[in-house]
PDB file of all heavy atoms in Angstrom:
ATOM      1  N   VAL A 296      84.915 -40.138 -45.037  1.00  0.00           N
ATOM      2  CA  VAL A 296      85.481 -38.920 -44.441  1.00  0.00           C
ATOM      3  C   VAL A 296      84.977 -37.783 -45.258  1.00  0.00           C
ATOM      4  O   VAL A 296      85.007 -37.669 -46.467  1.00  0.00           O
ATOM      5  CB  VAL A 296      86.953 -38.895 -44.543  1.00  0.00           C
ATOM      6  CG1 VAL A 296      87.553 -37.443 -44.029  1.00  0.00           C
ATOM      7  CG2 VAL A 296      87.688 -40.016 -43.689  1.00  0.00           C
ATOM      8  N   GLY A 297      84.351 -36.758 -44.532  1.00  0.00           N
ATOM      9  CA  GLY A 297      83.851 -35.500 -45.247  1.00  0.00           C
ATOM     10  C   GLY A 297      84.950 -34.466 -45.064  1.00  0.00           C
ATOM     11  O   GLY A 297      85.343 -34.137 -43.960  1.00  0.00           O
ATOM     12  N   VAL A 298      85.364 -33.822 -46.156  1.00  0.00           N
ATOM     13  CA  VAL A 298      86.418 -32.756 -46.148  1.00  0.00           C
ATOM     14  C   VAL A 298      85.768 -31.535 -46.432  1.00  0.00           C
ATOM     15  O   VAL A 298      85.278 -31.418 -47.512  1.00  0.00           O
ATOM     16  CB  VAL A 298      87.527 -33.092 -47.114  1.00  0.00           C
ATOM     17  CG1 VAL A 298      88.590 -31.979 -47.068  1.00  0.00           C
ATOM     18  CG2 VAL A 298      88.281 -34.446 -46.771  1.00  0.00           C
ATOM     19  N   LEU A 299      85.893 -30.566 -45.540  1.00  0.00           N
ATOM     20  CA  LEU A 299      85.203 -29.370 -45.692  1.00  0.00           C
ATOM     21  C   LEU A 299      86.267 -28.120 -45.748  1.00  0.00           C
ATOM     22  O   LEU A 299      87.111 -28.139 -44.805  1.00  0.00           O
ATOM     23  CB  LEU A 299      84.208 -29.060 -44.572  1.00  0.00           C
ATOM     24  CG  LEU A 299      83.477 -27.753 -44.640  1.00  0.00           C
ATOM     25  CD1 LEU A 299      82.522 -27.618 -45.773  1.00  0.00           C
ATOM     26  CD2 LEU A 299      82.573 -27.601 -43.335  1.00  0.00           C
ATOM     27  N   ASP A 300      86.185 -27.217 -46.660  1.00  0.00           N
ATOM     28  CA  ASP A 300      87.217 -26.111 -46.651  1.00  0.00           C
ATOM     29  C   ASP A 300      86.551 -24.919 -47.409  1.00  0.00           C
ATOM     30  O   ASP A 300      85.689 -24.993 -48.193  1.00  0.00           O
ATOM     31  CB  ASP A 300      88.379 -26.557 -47.455  1.00  0.00           C
ATOM     32  CG  ASP A 300      89.567 -25.594 -47.328  1.00  0.00           C
ATOM     33  OD1 ASP A 300      90.131 -25.592 -46.178  1.00  0.00           O
ATOM     34  OD2 ASP A 300      89.860 -24.809 -48.230  1.00  0.00           O
ATOM     35  N   SER A 303      89.287 -23.608 -52.686  1.00  0.00           N
ATOM     36  CA  SER A 303      88.733 -24.113 -53.963  1.00  0.00           C
ATOM     37  C   SER A 303      89.420 -25.433 -54.211  1.00  0.00           C
ATOM     38  O   SER A 303      90.366 -25.814 -53.789  1.00  0.00           O
ATOM     39  CB  SER A 303      89.042 -23.147 -55.034  1.00  0.00           C
ATOM     40  OG  SER A 303      90.344 -22.880 -55.162  1.00  0.00           O
ATOM     41  N   ALA A 304      88.632 -26.214 -55.087  1.00  0.00           N
ATOM     42  CA  ALA A 304      89.180 -27.592 -55.459  1.00  0.00           C
ATOM     43  C   ALA A 304      90.322 -27.662 -56.287  1.00  0.00           C
ATOM     44  O   ALA A 304      91.099 -28.640 -56.354  1.00  0.00           O
ATOM     45  CB  ALA A 304      87.981 -28.325 -56.175  1.00  0.00           C
ATOM     46  N   ASP A 305      90.795 -26.441 -56.941  1.00  0.00           N
ATOM     47  CA  ASP A 305      91.924 -26.432 -57.842  1.00  0.00           C
ATOM     48  C   ASP A 305      93.185 -26.656 -57.084  1.00  0.00           C
ATOM     49  O   ASP A 305      94.285 -26.991 -57.655  1.00  0.00           O
ATOM     50  CB  ASP A 305      91.865 -25.161 -58.603  1.00  0.00           C
ATOM     51  CG  ASP A 305      91.999 -23.960 -57.663  1.00  0.00           C
ATOM     52  OD1 ASP A 305      92.199 -24.098 -56.511  1.00  0.00           O
ATOM     53  OD2 ASP A 305      91.913 -22.817 -58.306  1.00  0.00           O
ATOM     54  N   LYS A 306      93.118 -26.487 -55.748  1.00  0.00           N
ATOM     55  CA  LYS A 306      94.350 -26.773 -54.979  1.00  0.00           C
ATOM     56  C   LYS A 306      94.321 -28.149 -54.271  1.00  0.00           C
ATOM     57  O   LYS A 306      95.133 -28.410 -53.292  1.00  0.00           O
ATOM     58  CB  LYS A 306      94.651 -25.671 -53.923  1.00  0.00           C
ATOM     59  CG  LYS A 306      93.517 -25.537 -52.793  1.00  0.00           C
ATOM     60  CD  LYS A 306      93.841 -24.533 -51.894  1.00  0.00           C
ATOM     61  CE  LYS A 306      92.708 -24.421 -50.789  1.00  0.00           C
ATOM     62  NZ  LYS A 306      92.940 -23.378 -49.794  1.00  0.00           N
ATOM     63  N   ASN A 307      93.356 -28.929 -54.670  1.00  0.00           N
ATOM     64  CA  ASN A 307      93.025 -30.158 -53.990  1.00  0.00           C
ATOM     65  C   ASN A 307      94.262 -31.035 -53.679  1.00  0.00           C
ATOM     66  O   ASN A 307      94.581 -31.393 -52.589  1.00  0.00           O
ATOM     67  CB  ASN A 307      92.079 -30.996 -54.707  1.00  0.00           C
ATOM     68  CG  ASN A 307      91.526 -32.231 -54.049  1.00  0.00           C
ATOM     69  OD1 ASN A 307      91.875 -32.427 -52.948  1.00  0.00           O
ATOM     70  ND2 ASN A 307      90.628 -32.939 -54.704  1.00  0.00           N
ATOM     71  N   GLU A 308      95.107 -31.366 -54.727  1.00  0.00           N
ATOM     72  CA  GLU A 308      96.149 -32.310 -54.631  1.00  0.00           C
ATOM     73  C   GLU A 308      97.156 -31.948 -53.629  1.00  0.00           C
ATOM     74  O   GLU A 308      97.642 -32.532 -52.713  1.00  0.00           O
ATOM     75  CB  GLU A 308      96.737 -32.767 -55.975  1.00  0.00           C
ATOM     76  CG  GLU A 308      97.810 -33.829 -55.868  1.00  0.00           C
ATOM     77  CD  GLU A 308      98.300 -34.218 -57.232  1.00  0.00           C
ATOM     78  OE1 GLU A 308      97.597 -33.734 -58.223  1.00  0.00           O
ATOM     79  OE2 GLU A 308      99.252 -34.940 -57.370  1.00  0.00           O
ATOM     80  N   GLN A 309      97.717 -30.700 -53.926  1.00  0.00           N
ATOM     81  CA  GLN A 309      98.847 -30.138 -53.003  1.00  0.00           C
ATOM     82  C   GLN A 309      98.343 -29.832 -51.647  1.00  0.00           C
ATOM     83  O   GLN A 309      99.019 -30.086 -50.678  1.00  0.00           O
ATOM     84  CB  GLN A 309      99.339 -28.910 -53.709  1.00  0.00           C
ATOM     85  CG  GLN A 309     100.517 -28.198 -52.861  1.00  0.00           C
ATOM     86  CD  GLN A 309     100.859 -26.909 -53.459  1.00  0.00           C
ATOM     87  OE1 GLN A 309     100.395 -26.427 -54.585  1.00  0.00           O
ATOM     88  NE2 GLN A 309     101.773 -26.203 -52.925  1.00  0.00           N
ATOM     89  N   TYR A 310      97.184 -29.314 -51.468  1.00  0.00           N
ATOM     90  CA  TYR A 310      96.594 -28.890 -50.224  1.00  0.00           C
ATOM     91  C   TYR A 310      96.337 -30.105 -49.317  1.00  0.00           C
ATOM     92  O   TYR A 310      96.613 -30.083 -48.138  1.00  0.00           O
ATOM     93  CB  TYR A 310      95.289 -28.103 -50.555  1.00  0.00           C
ATOM     94  CG  TYR A 310      94.558 -27.732 -49.268  1.00  0.00           C
ATOM     95  CD1 TYR A 310      94.883 -26.571 -48.629  1.00  0.00           C
ATOM     96  CD2 TYR A 310      93.510 -28.523 -48.787  1.00  0.00           C
ATOM     97  CE1 TYR A 310      94.116 -26.117 -47.489  1.00  0.00           C
ATOM     98  CE2 TYR A 310      92.738 -28.063 -47.693  1.00  0.00           C
ATOM     99  CZ  TYR A 310      93.054 -26.941 -47.047  1.00  0.00           C
ATOM    100  OH  TYR A 310      92.341 -26.543 -45.914  1.00  0.00           O
ATOM    101  N   LEU A 311      95.820 -31.198 -49.968  1.00  0.00           N
ATOM    102  CA  LEU A 311      95.379 -32.315 -49.099  1.00  0.00           C
ATOM    103  C   LEU A 311      96.440 -33.401 -49.000  1.00  0.00           C
ATOM    104  O   LEU A 311      96.238 -34.292 -48.178  1.00  0.00           O
ATOM    105  CB  LEU A 311      94.108 -32.891 -49.720  1.00  0.00           C
ATOM    106  CG  LEU A 311      92.851 -32.082 -49.504  1.00  0.00           C
ATOM    107  CD1 LEU A 311      91.669 -32.786 -50.230  1.00  0.00           C
ATOM    108  CD2 LEU A 311      92.533 -31.774 -48.068  1.00  0.00           C
ATOM    109  N   ALA A 312      97.476 -33.336 -49.732  1.00  0.00           N
ATOM    110  CA  ALA A 312      98.493 -34.301 -49.579  1.00  0.00           C
ATOM    111  C   ALA A 312      99.029 -34.588 -48.194  1.00  0.00           C
ATOM    112  O   ALA A 312      99.130 -35.709 -47.803  1.00  0.00           O
ATOM    113  CB  ALA A 312      99.716 -34.011 -50.507  1.00  0.00           C
ATOM    114  N   PRO A 313      99.381 -33.554 -47.424  1.00  0.00           N
ATOM    115  CA  PRO A 313      99.788 -33.803 -46.024  1.00  0.00           C
ATOM    116  C   PRO A 313      98.616 -34.481 -45.164  1.00  0.00           C
ATOM    117  O   PRO A 313      98.915 -35.278 -44.325  1.00  0.00           O
ATOM    118  CB  PRO A 313     100.110 -32.412 -45.455  1.00  0.00           C
ATOM    119  CG  PRO A 313     100.516 -31.584 -46.728  1.00  0.00           C
ATOM    120  CD  PRO A 313      99.476 -32.134 -47.763  1.00  0.00           C
ATOM    121  N   PHE A 314      97.345 -34.029 -45.431  1.00  0.00           N
ATOM    122  CA  PHE A 314      96.276 -34.579 -44.711  1.00  0.00           C
ATOM    123  C   PHE A 314      96.122 -36.096 -44.957  1.00  0.00           C
ATOM    124  O   PHE A 314      96.070 -36.860 -44.039  1.00  0.00           O
ATOM    125  CB  PHE A 314      94.904 -33.823 -45.138  1.00  0.00           C
ATOM    126  CG  PHE A 314      93.697 -34.562 -44.628  1.00  0.00           C
ATOM    127  CD1 PHE A 314      93.270 -34.511 -43.311  1.00  0.00           C
ATOM    128  CD2 PHE A 314      92.881 -35.186 -45.496  1.00  0.00           C
ATOM    129  CE1 PHE A 314      92.174 -35.142 -42.900  1.00  0.00           C
ATOM    130  CE2 PHE A 314      91.737 -35.896 -45.103  1.00  0.00           C
ATOM    131  CZ  PHE A 314      91.377 -35.859 -43.770  1.00  0.00           C
ATOM    132  N   TRP A 315      96.201 -36.550 -46.187  1.00  0.00           N
ATOM    133  CA  TRP A 315      96.133 -37.903 -46.554  1.00  0.00           C
ATOM    134  C   TRP A 315      97.400 -38.727 -46.100  1.00  0.00           C
ATOM    135  O   TRP A 315      97.317 -39.847 -45.748  1.00  0.00           O
ATOM    136  CB  TRP A 315      95.901 -38.142 -48.045  1.00  0.00           C
ATOM    137  CG  TRP A 315      94.545 -37.714 -48.462  1.00  0.00           C
ATOM    138  CD1 TRP A 315      94.110 -36.799 -49.228  1.00  0.00           C
ATOM    139  CD2 TRP A 315      93.432 -38.541 -48.124  1.00  0.00           C
ATOM    140  NE1 TRP A 315      92.735 -36.849 -49.260  1.00  0.00           N
ATOM    141  CE2 TRP A 315      92.305 -37.891 -48.652  1.00  0.00           C
ATOM    142  CE3 TRP A 315      93.228 -39.729 -47.367  1.00  0.00           C
ATOM    143  CZ2 TRP A 315      90.946 -38.351 -48.524  1.00  0.00           C
ATOM    144  CZ3 TRP A 315      91.898 -40.205 -47.188  1.00  0.00           C
ATOM    145  CH2 TRP A 315      90.862 -39.498 -47.723  1.00  0.00           C
ATOM    146  N   GLN A 316      98.545 -37.949 -46.043  1.00  0.00           N
ATOM    147  CA  GLN A 316      99.746 -38.618 -45.450  1.00  0.00           C
ATOM    148  C   GLN A 316      99.475 -38.953 -43.962  1.00  0.00           C
ATOM    149  O   GLN A 316      99.798 -40.086 -43.447  1.00  0.00           O
ATOM    150  CB  GLN A 316     100.888 -37.670 -45.517  1.00  0.00           C
ATOM    151  CG  GLN A 316     102.195 -38.277 -44.807  1.00  0.00           C
ATOM    152  CD  GLN A 316     103.323 -37.149 -44.745  1.00  0.00           C
ATOM    153  OE1 GLN A 316     103.340 -36.209 -45.460  1.00  0.00           O
ATOM    154  NE2 GLN A 316     104.258 -37.504 -43.878  1.00  0.00           N
ATOM    155  N   GLY A 317      98.916 -38.024 -43.197  1.00  0.00           N
ATOM    156  CA  GLY A 317      98.518 -38.305 -41.840  1.00  0.00           C
ATOM    157  C   GLY A 317      97.503 -39.464 -41.633  1.00  0.00           C
ATOM    158  O   GLY A 317      97.625 -40.260 -40.811  1.00  0.00           O
ATOM    159  N   LEU A 318      96.512 -39.460 -42.583  1.00  0.00           N
ATOM    160  CA  LEU A 318      95.583 -40.631 -42.486  1.00  0.00           C
ATOM    161  C   LEU A 318      96.303 -42.013 -42.819  1.00  0.00           C
ATOM    162  O   LEU A 318      95.983 -42.932 -42.258  1.00  0.00           O
ATOM    163  CB  LEU A 318      94.475 -40.351 -43.522  1.00  0.00           C
ATOM    164  CG  LEU A 318      93.194 -39.726 -43.003  1.00  0.00           C
ATOM    165  CD1 LEU A 318      92.204 -39.466 -44.102  1.00  0.00           C
ATOM    166  CD2 LEU A 318      92.415 -40.581 -41.927  1.00  0.00           C
ATOM    167  N   SER A 319      97.294 -41.933 -43.741  1.00  0.00           N
ATOM    168  CA  SER A 319      97.922 -43.200 -44.107  1.00  0.00           C
ATOM    169  C   SER A 319      98.780 -43.619 -42.785  1.00  0.00           C
ATOM    170  O   SER A 319      98.978 -44.814 -42.663  1.00  0.00           O
ATOM    171  CB  SER A 319      98.876 -42.952 -45.240  1.00  0.00           C
ATOM    172  OG  SER A 319      99.932 -42.090 -45.011  1.00  0.00           O
ATOM    173  N   GLU A 325      92.909 -43.494 -49.202  1.00  0.00           N
ATOM    174  CA  GLU A 325      91.747 -43.241 -49.985  1.00  0.00           C
ATOM    175  C   GLU A 325      91.526 -44.256 -51.120  1.00  0.00           C
ATOM    176  O   GLU A 325      92.551 -44.496 -51.923  1.00  0.00           O
ATOM    177  CB  GLU A 325      91.731 -41.803 -50.492  1.00  0.00           C
ATOM    178  CG  GLU A 325      90.442 -41.394 -51.245  1.00  0.00           C
ATOM    179  CD  GLU A 325      90.450 -40.037 -51.688  1.00  0.00           C
ATOM    180  OE1 GLU A 325      91.499 -39.325 -51.836  1.00  0.00           O
ATOM    181  OE2 GLU A 325      89.334 -39.517 -52.155  1.00  0.00           O
ATOM    182  N   ALA A 331      86.033 -40.655 -49.454  1.00  0.00           N
ATOM    183  CA  ALA A 331      86.066 -39.232 -49.101  1.00  0.00           C
ATOM    184  C   ALA A 331      84.988 -38.463 -49.880  1.00  0.00           C
ATOM    185  O   ALA A 331      84.704 -38.760 -51.017  1.00  0.00           O
ATOM    186  CB  ALA A 331      87.317 -38.609 -49.305  1.00  0.00           C
ATOM    187  N   GLU A 332      84.341 -37.530 -49.285  1.00  0.00           N
ATOM    188  CA  GLU A 332      83.452 -36.553 -49.852  1.00  0.00           C
ATOM    189  C   GLU A 332      84.002 -35.186 -49.591  1.00  0.00           C
ATOM    190  O   GLU A 332      84.297 -34.858 -48.538  1.00  0.00           O
ATOM    191  CB  GLU A 332      81.931 -36.621 -49.304  1.00  0.00           C
ATOM    192  CG  GLU A 332      81.205 -37.831 -49.693  1.00  0.00           C
ATOM    193  CD  GLU A 332      80.644 -37.705 -51.044  1.00  0.00           C
ATOM    194  OE1 GLU A 332      80.498 -36.539 -51.522  1.00  0.00           O
ATOM    195  OE2 GLU A 332      80.208 -38.712 -51.550  1.00  0.00           O
ATOM    196  N   TYR A 333      84.175 -34.370 -50.693  1.00  0.00           N
ATOM    197  CA  TYR A 333      84.820 -33.096 -50.591  1.00  0.00           C
ATOM    198  C   TYR A 333      83.708 -32.002 -50.823  1.00  0.00           C
ATOM    199  O   TYR A 333      82.926 -32.104 -51.736  1.00  0.00           O
ATOM    200  CB  TYR A 333      85.807 -33.001 -51.706  1.00  0.00           C
ATOM    201  CG  TYR A 333      86.958 -33.997 -51.635  1.00  0.00           C
ATOM    202  CD1 TYR A 333      86.942 -35.158 -52.336  1.00  0.00           C
ATOM    203  CD2 TYR A 333      88.013 -33.729 -50.734  1.00  0.00           C
ATOM    204  CE1 TYR A 333      87.898 -36.088 -52.241  1.00  0.00           C
ATOM    205  CE2 TYR A 333      89.095 -34.664 -50.619  1.00  0.00           C
ATOM    206  CZ  TYR A 333      89.033 -35.872 -51.357  1.00  0.00           C
ATOM    207  OH  TYR A 333      90.030 -36.805 -51.202  1.00  0.00           O
ATOM    208  N   ARG A 334      83.873 -30.965 -50.006  1.00  0.00           N
ATOM    209  CA  ARG A 334      83.009 -29.787 -50.123  1.00  0.00           C
ATOM    210  C   ARG A 334      83.901 -28.642 -50.054  1.00  0.00           C
ATOM    211  O   ARG A 334      84.487 -28.223 -49.084  1.00  0.00           O
ATOM    212  CB  ARG A 334      81.874 -29.701 -49.026  1.00  0.00           C
ATOM    213  CG  ARG A 334      80.971 -30.882 -49.127  1.00  0.00           C
ATOM    214  CD  ARG A 334      80.104 -30.923 -50.399  1.00  0.00           C
ATOM    215  NE  ARG A 334      79.132 -32.081 -50.282  1.00  0.00           N
ATOM    216  CZ  ARG A 334      79.337 -33.255 -50.826  1.00  0.00           C
ATOM    217  NH1 ARG A 334      80.606 -33.482 -51.332  1.00  0.00           N
ATOM    218  NH2 ARG A 334      78.445 -34.118 -50.789  1.00  0.00           N
ATOM    219  N   TRP A 335      83.999 -27.704 -51.058  1.00  0.00           N
ATOM    220  CA  TRP A 335      84.736 -26.522 -51.304  1.00  0.00           C
ATOM    221  C   TRP A 335      83.901 -25.321 -51.381  1.00  0.00           C
ATOM    222  O   TRP A 335      82.964 -25.357 -52.260  1.00  0.00           O
ATOM    223  CB  TRP A 335      85.697 -26.604 -52.421  1.00  0.00           C
ATOM    224  CG  TRP A 335      86.582 -27.865 -52.435  1.00  0.00           C
ATOM    225  CD1 TRP A 335      86.249 -29.036 -53.057  1.00  0.00           C
ATOM    226  CD2 TRP A 335      87.900 -28.088 -51.845  1.00  0.00           C
ATOM    227  NE1 TRP A 335      87.218 -29.901 -52.910  1.00  0.00           N
ATOM    228  CE2 TRP A 335      88.317 -29.352 -52.145  1.00  0.00           C
ATOM    229  CE3 TRP A 335      88.618 -27.134 -51.185  1.00  0.00           C
ATOM    230  CZ2 TRP A 335      89.464 -29.785 -51.716  1.00  0.00           C
ATOM    231  CZ3 TRP A 335      89.927 -27.679 -50.727  1.00  0.00           C
ATOM    232  CH2 TRP A 335      90.314 -28.938 -51.055  1.00  0.00           C
ATOM    233  N   ALA A 359      86.521 -33.591 -41.583  1.00  0.00           N
ATOM    234  CA  ALA A 359      87.853 -32.974 -41.427  1.00  0.00           C
ATOM    235  C   ALA A 359      87.860 -31.591 -42.037  1.00  0.00           C
ATOM    236  O   ALA A 359      87.445 -31.405 -43.266  1.00  0.00           O
ATOM    237  CB  ALA A 359      88.906 -33.820 -42.101  1.00  0.00           C
ATOM    238  N   VAL A 360      88.383 -30.674 -41.355  1.00  0.00           N
ATOM    239  CA  VAL A 360      88.576 -29.332 -41.767  1.00  0.00           C
ATOM    240  C   VAL A 360      90.096 -28.976 -41.644  1.00  0.00           C
ATOM    241  O   VAL A 360      90.591 -28.587 -40.617  1.00  0.00           O
ATOM    242  CB  VAL A 360      87.788 -28.274 -40.931  1.00  0.00           C
ATOM    243  CG1 VAL A 360      87.930 -26.897 -41.594  1.00  0.00           C
ATOM    244  CG2 VAL A 360      86.324 -28.687 -40.946  1.00  0.00           C
ATOM    245  N   PRO A 361      90.904 -29.338 -42.682  1.00  0.00           N
ATOM    246  CA  PRO A 361      92.434 -29.270 -42.593  1.00  0.00           C
ATOM    247  C   PRO A 361      92.961 -27.933 -42.025  1.00  0.00           C
ATOM    248  O   PRO A 361      93.881 -27.873 -41.273  1.00  0.00           O
ATOM    249  CB  PRO A 361      92.786 -29.674 -43.899  1.00  0.00           C
ATOM    250  CG  PRO A 361      91.774 -30.503 -44.428  1.00  0.00           C
ATOM    251  CD  PRO A 361      90.481 -29.861 -43.870  1.00  0.00           C
ATOM    252  N   SER A 362      92.392 -26.738 -42.520  1.00  0.00           N
ATOM    253  CA  SER A 362      92.951 -25.499 -42.145  1.00  0.00           C
ATOM    254  C   SER A 362      91.994 -24.392 -42.493  1.00  0.00           C
ATOM    255  O   SER A 362      92.249 -23.539 -43.463  1.00  0.00           O
ATOM    256  CB  SER A 362      94.325 -25.252 -42.678  1.00  0.00           C
ATOM    257  OG  SER A 362      94.326 -25.287 -44.067  1.00  0.00           O
ATOM    258  N   LEU A 533     101.769 -25.124 -42.336  1.00  0.00           N
ATOM    259  CA  LEU A 533     100.410 -25.635 -42.412  1.00  0.00           C
ATOM    260  C   LEU A 533     100.453 -27.051 -42.970  1.00  0.00           C
ATOM    261  O   LEU A 533      99.458 -27.900 -42.671  1.00  0.00           O
ATOM    262  CB  LEU A 533      99.655 -24.720 -43.361  1.00  0.00           C
ATOM    263  CG  LEU A 533      99.334 -23.292 -42.858  1.00  0.00           C
ATOM    264  CD1 LEU A 533      98.418 -22.561 -43.835  1.00  0.00           C
ATOM    265  CD2 LEU A 533      98.677 -23.375 -41.495  1.00  0.00           C
ATOM    266  N   ALA A 534     101.455 -27.363 -43.721  1.00  0.00           N
ATOM    267  CA  ALA A 534     101.571 -28.753 -44.223  1.00  0.00           C
ATOM    268  C   ALA A 534     101.553 -29.794 -43.045  1.00  0.00           C
ATOM    269  O   ALA A 534     100.950 -30.827 -43.060  1.00  0.00           O
ATOM    270  CB  ALA A 534     102.757 -28.939 -45.249  1.00  0.00           C
ATOM    271  N   ARG A 537      98.278 -29.869 -41.305  1.00  0.00           N
ATOM    272  CA  ARG A 537      97.243 -30.663 -41.911  1.00  0.00           C
ATOM    273  C   ARG A 537      97.533 -32.137 -41.786  1.00  0.00           C
ATOM    274  O   ARG A 537      96.643 -32.922 -41.734  1.00  0.00           O
ATOM    275  CB  ARG A 537      97.300 -30.263 -43.495  1.00  0.00           C
ATOM    276  CG  ARG A 537      96.663 -28.897 -43.678  1.00  0.00           C
ATOM    277  CD  ARG A 537      96.912 -28.404 -45.061  1.00  0.00           C
ATOM    278  NE  ARG A 537      96.601 -27.038 -45.380  1.00  0.00           N
ATOM    279  CZ  ARG A 537      97.241 -26.271 -46.173  1.00  0.00           C
ATOM    280  NH1 ARG A 537      98.312 -26.669 -46.910  1.00  0.00           N
ATOM    281  NH2 ARG A 537      96.835 -24.936 -46.317  1.00  0.00           N
ATOM    282  N   ARG A 538      98.727 -32.550 -41.705  1.00  0.00           N
ATOM    283  CA  ARG A 538      99.212 -33.908 -41.495  1.00  0.00           C
ATOM    284  C   ARG A 538      98.647 -34.382 -40.119  1.00  0.00           C
ATOM    285  O   ARG A 538      98.056 -35.467 -39.995  1.00  0.00           O
ATOM    286  CB  ARG A 538     100.737 -34.091 -41.590  1.00  0.00           C
ATOM    287  CG  ARG A 538     101.164 -35.519 -41.337  1.00  0.00           C
ATOM    288  CD  ARG A 538     102.635 -35.596 -41.167  1.00  0.00           C
ATOM    289  NE  ARG A 538     103.032 -34.968 -40.016  1.00  0.00           N
ATOM    290  CZ  ARG A 538     102.969 -35.401 -38.711  1.00  0.00           C
ATOM    291  NH1 ARG A 538     102.447 -36.636 -38.611  1.00  0.00           N
ATOM    292  NH2 ARG A 538     103.304 -34.732 -37.727  1.00  0.00           N
ATOM    293  N   GLN A 539      98.776 -33.472 -39.163  1.00  0.00           N
ATOM    294  CA  GLN A 539      98.312 -33.799 -37.780  1.00  0.00           C
ATOM    295  C   GLN A 539      96.823 -33.923 -37.812  1.00  0.00           C
ATOM    296  O   GLN A 539      96.304 -34.855 -37.154  1.00  0.00           O
ATOM    297  CB  GLN A 539      98.681 -32.658 -36.840  1.00  0.00           C
ATOM    298  CG  GLN A 539     100.152 -32.666 -36.510  1.00  0.00           C
ATOM    299  CD  GLN A 539     100.527 -31.548 -35.616  1.00  0.00           C
ATOM    300  OE1 GLN A 539     100.617 -30.430 -35.963  1.00  0.00           O
ATOM    301  NE2 GLN A 539     100.750 -31.871 -34.289  1.00  0.00           N
ATOM    302  N   VAL A 540      96.086 -33.135 -38.609  1.00  0.00           N
ATOM    303  CA  VAL A 540      94.629 -33.287 -38.665  1.00  0.00           C
ATOM    304  C   VAL A 540      94.321 -34.617 -39.289  1.00  0.00           C
ATOM    305  O   VAL A 540      93.374 -35.303 -38.754  1.00  0.00           O
ATOM    306  CB  VAL A 540      93.953 -32.131 -39.510  1.00  0.00           C
ATOM    307  CG1 VAL A 540      92.540 -32.432 -39.874  1.00  0.00           C
ATOM    308  CG2 VAL A 540      94.158 -30.845 -38.841  1.00  0.00           C
ATOM    309  N   GLY A 541      95.074 -35.084 -40.260  1.00  0.00           N
ATOM    310  CA  GLY A 541      94.844 -36.406 -40.834  1.00  0.00           C
ATOM    311  C   GLY A 541      95.107 -37.536 -39.788  1.00  0.00           C
ATOM    312  O   GLY A 541      94.284 -38.546 -39.853  1.00  0.00           O
TER     313      GLY A 541
END
Side-chain angles (χ1 to χ4, degrees):
V296 175
V298 179
L299 179 66
D300 190 75
S303 58
D305 57 10
K306 64 178 181 179
N307 186 359
E308 184 175 351
Q309 178 184 2
Y310 175 85
L311 289 179
F314 168 74
W315 284 111
Q316 177 189 341
L318 264 174
S319 69
E325 185 181 13
E332 286 281 340
Y333 300 96
R334 298 294 183 270
W335 305 89
V360 184
S362 56
L533 291 187
R537 289 169 189 148
R538 182 191 64 79
Q539 291 178 283
V540 171

